[in-house]
Amino acid sequence: MSNYHIKHFEEYFQVYRKSINDPIAFWEEIAEEHFSWRKTWDNVLSWDFSKPEVKWFDGAQLNITENCIDRHLRNRGDKTAIIFEPNDPSEPAEHITYKQLHERVCKFANVLHDKGIKKGDRVCIYLPMIPELAISVLACARIGAIHSVVFAGFSSTALSTRIQDCDAKMVITADGGFRGAKTIDLKGIVDDALRDCPTVKSVLVAKRINSNIHMEPGRDEWLKPLLDDSYKDYTAEVMDAEDPLFILYTSGSTGKPKGMMHTTAGYMVYTAYTFKNVFQYREDDVYWCTADIGWITGHSYIIYGPLANGATTVMYEGVPSHPNYGRFWEIVQKHKVNQFYTAPTAIRALAKQGTEHLEKYDLSSLKVLGSVGEPINEEAWHWYNDNVGRKKCPIVDTWWQTETGGIMITPIPFSTPTKPTYATLPFIGIQPTLMNDEGEEITDNQVNGKLCIKFPWPSMARTIWGDHKRYKDTYFSAFENMYFTGDGAIRDEVGYYRITGRVDDVIIVSGHNLGTAPIEDAINEHPAVVESAVVGFPHDIKGNALYGFITLKETGETRDHENLRNEINMVITEHIGAIAKLDKVQFTEGLPKTRSGKIMRRILRKIASKDTDNLGDISTLLNPEVVASIKDNAV
Ligand code: WTA
């Protein structure tokens, strides 16, 4: 039996038990047998959740790109590493072999080096889903620079906040990007962002849409001529196991975004191991994850996990609906995709179109279907299972987070019996538990609790960049000696977990995490606004959508409310991005507050969800009278 590749349900239990009973021996064996190290570790694991401090494979030396690229050159040099499928179906796909990837990453690494980027420097990557995105990520890792990819849907303000937070020295971007029928002016957004980013010394620009853009002399350079002139080999920087690999920002319930910092060895081992098992990847398979590399799913399961296994991974530039809703299925047929990993919001949007598009394509290559990003509702699960998988492909509902680096709770296909809406069982090495508000572990079934993890796993984030205290306060203070996820969950009689949703002020809209506080801060910037509260409400396609309760300075505000709504959404788009726009806006006379002045969001959530039969006790409110009027005027 190989612990690296689990093939039966009994095997899952055996390996799981091993991984819990002796985690050190377990992870040591996985690390030793399946990766290439410049030097092995002195210590497999040291940890203290009270600090918190966690180190995996301390003392080891490696470079993750040697594991993701170089070691495959001998046997898989001509195998396709990345298939790039462009936005426009008439543009040919690009197949990049491991050899070619090696050369392109090395050339890019030389460019970074020539521009003065050194080990430990931060490089911000703001690119569309084109090969340069994966290549620049790997080039940073090759020279030991810390990449910070920012999703290309974020606004210039959001981009500059992230650049400032990590003091990036360089930005890698493109003249623009194609997304469905739209083009996005990425370089213009970067130019705006860089007005307040003095640490950025250079900007490298990939050409994608051939637009006429401004190039700032002395700062901006086209990437292609630099790459053409650079040498095709680059000796990988030797990194320590715990050297930072990347920073990726995620929304918190309050304050600015949190720069989750991931380190090298543990992240590599865990993403590779989960990829192999959760997708049951076999040598000649073609795997496709539809996420954007701007999110953790893209980092771990488009780039690092697949490439560490020598897999063929598809990168798609566009959206599911362009040029029509058959696009995903056309890609599955064209590249004979075997494993398909997407988000419930995409499944719901596709399901809404019926099965007409699906029927035009041959989906018989599919073996495993994945879901990630938010709870998958029963209807979407069945549609996916019946129509995409034709009841033959197990669905892996994978629960995890930016903070966890890799998949934490998931079925193992062909092993774990699936159950709609349940992410099922912990992955190997993961020790979840549910806690009640008294700080006790819940042992009963079907009781909602707060999902925590009791023991470290290799790919956990090590800190929030520049703010270790916030890391501790957010994740390690709610319950002693545990990592608190921020999610609620229940467990059934066989031990399967069902994630019930966030228990904090983070709202997941179309699979994207949005903190309410930054959206409210943006709204409050509008001159007509006194204060605001944003809550989520259920939405057919997006899972949740945003409802803003907004109090205006002058109740008799003379301007047309429709205009004001649009203006407020414009302010949100400027500060965060279009993904954070409000679906519903209600102008209120005031917001329900506790005596200590805190907005009672519980009541607003109920009103937004039209669940107003029982609003709970409002007698303790400072201003109970506003509730009736808010309820009567709900939109
Ligand atoms: C939610 C994405 C239910 C959850 C990898 C988590 C899920 C947050 C699932 C992290 C799932 C993710 N079922 N909920 N299968 N997967 N979530 O950081 O609330 O973008 O805390 O990482 O998404 O989102 P993030």
Side-chain angles (χ1 to χ4, degrees), residues 47-53 468 472 476-477 480-482:
W47 66 291
D48 178 349
F49 276 179
S50 71
K51 282 184 180 164
E53 186 180 88
H468 196 66
K472 180 176 168 170
F476 295 89
S477 301
E480 206 182 331
N481 238 351
M482 289 198 190

Side-chain angles (χ1 to χ4, degrees), residues 191-459:
D191 288 343
D192 279 349
L194 292 188
R195 289 204 196 114
D196 321 304
C197 299
T199 54
V200 173
K201 300 293 174 233
S202 50
V203 177
L204 301 180
V205 188
K207 196 168 247 177
R208 178 59 183 141
I209 66 168
N210 284 316
S211 62
N212 202 355
I213 55 166
H214 165 74
M215 295 290 277
E216 182 71 26
R219 187 192 72 184
D220 303 350
E221 266 181 281
W222 290 105
L223 193 52
K224 188 164 183 300
L226 297 174
L227 288 170
D228 287 347
D229 277 351
S230 89
Y231 186 58
K232 65 181 187 343
D233 206 353
Y234 188 98
T235 308
E237 184 76 28
V238 178
M239 304 297 286
D240 289 337
E242 285 295 335
D243 276 340
L245 175 65
F246 65 85
I247 300 167
L248 183 60
Y249 287 88
T250 188
S251 308
S253 28
T254 55
K256 57 181 186 175
K258 298 173 285 189
M260 303 314 307
M261 189 193 92
H262 284 278
T263 58
T264 308
Y267 176 81
M268 170 184 79
V269 168
Y270 193 78
T271 53
Y273 185 53
T274 44
F275 174 77
K276 177 74 184 168
N277 287 294
V278 175
F279 300 104
Q280 289 292 308
Y281 185 84
R282 306 280 173 128
E283 186 59 40
D284 295 317
D285 288 346
V286 173
Y287 160 89
W288 178 24
C289 165
T290 69
D292 193 289
I293 290 171
W295 309 114
I296 191 69
T297 307
H299 282 58
S300 303
Y301 299 110
I302 294 178
I303 302 182
Y304 289 114
L307 297 179
N309 283 282
T312 299
T313 174
V314 177
M315 246 183 104
Y316 171 48
E317 183 180 28
V319 294
S321 54
H322 180 81
N324 59 58
Y325 278 95
R327 185 69 167 120
F328 272 10
W329 319 127
E330 182 200 353
I331 297 172
V332 168
Q333 170 181 294
K334 178 172 172 190
H335 298 300
K336 299 194 173 50
V337 170
N338 302 110
Q339 291 89 2
F340 177 72
Y341 192 27
T342 196
T345 184
I347 299 168
R348 288 189 296 261
L350 293 163
K352 204 172 168 200
Q353 305 300 315
T355 55
E356 173 204 337
H357 289 290
L358 273 167
E359 282 153 10
K360 293 191 200 130
Y361 300 99
D362 176 7
L363 305 182
S364 61
S365 57
L366 289 172
K367 296 197 282 194
V368 175
L369 302 177
S371 170
V372 60
E374 60 181 311
I376 177 165
N377 51 306
E378 194 137 4
E379 211 182 334
W381 194 98
H382 285 295
W383 188 85
Y384 201 24
N385 187 46
D386 296 352
N387 300 301
V388 182
R390 315 257 150 99
K391 296 193 171 141
K392 287 191 302 235
C393 304
I395 294 179
V396 288
D397 177 0
T398 63
W399 172 84
W400 58 295
Q401 309 177 293
T402 305
E403 296 84 338
T404 69
I407 294 168
M408 302 288 280
I409 300 183
T410 178
I412 291 184
F414 312 108
S415 297
T416 319
T418 55
K419 176 172 174 181
T421 76
Y422 282 75
T424 76
L425 295 171
F427 188 74
I428 307 301
I430 303 305
Q431 302 188 35
T433 188
L434 298 180
M435 302 298 290
N436 67 19
D437 289 332
E438 282 69 55
E440 298 149 352
E441 280 193 64
I442 295 171
T443 49
D444 294 345
N445 303 326
Q446 303 294 344
V447 177
N448 219 318
K450 292 181 172 159
L451 180 62
C452 293
I453 315 287
K454 296 200 273 189
F455 194 82
W457 62 101
S459 65

Side-chain angles (χ1 to χ4, degrees), residues 519-529 553 571 575:
I519 304 174
E520 291 161 5
D521 291 346
I523 298 171
N524 300 347
E525 295 275 314
H526 190 287
V529 173
K553 279 194 182 134
V571 179
H575 279 75

Side-chain angles (χ1 to χ4, degrees), residues 480-613:
E480 206 182 331
N481 238 351
M482 289 198 190
Y483 167 79
F484 170 49
T485 63
D487 281 321
I490 56 172
R491 204 172 32 222
D492 74 2
E493 56 299 339
V494 296
Y496 278 18
Y497 286 84
R498 174 185 182 159
I499 315 301
T500 48
R502 300 292 308 181
V503 295
D504 56 9
D505 288 326
V506 170
I507 305 173
I508 304 200
V509 178
S510 300
H512 302 146
N513 293 3
L514 298 170
T516 52
I519 304 174
E520 291 161 5
D521 291 346
I523 298 171
N524 300 347
E525 295 275 314
H526 190 287
V529 173
V530 180
E531 63 172 353
S532 59
V534 172
V535 299
F537 69 96
H539 184 280
D540 294 358
I541 306 243
K542 299 178 182 184
N544 297 295
L546 301 176
Y547 192 123
F549 295 90
I550 300 175
T551 310
L552 299 176
K553 279 194 182 134
E554 290 164 45
T555 40
E557 178 64 51
T558 47
R559 266 184 294 176
D560 171 1
H561 275 182
E562 194 48 44
N563 277 343
L564 254 183
R565 278 190 194 102
N566 292 339
E567 283 175 30
I568 287 167
N569 268 330
M570 288 281 291
V571 179
I572 296 173
T573 306
E574 258 166 46
H575 279 75
I576 301 165
I579 52 177
K581 277 205 226 172
L582 305 178
D583 268 46
K584 291 188 180 178
V585 174
Q586 178 178 354
F587 294 111
T588 55
E589 306 272 306
L591 297 172
K593 302 236 175 102
T594 62
R595 290 188 193 276
S596 60
K598 260 183 88 175
I599 297 170
M600 275 280 247
R601 289 165 187 282
R602 182 172 54 78
I603 292 172
L604 296 176
R605 268 186 222 118
K606 286 200 160 194
I607 293 174
S609 311
K610 303 211 179 323
D611 169 22
T612 49
D613 290 346

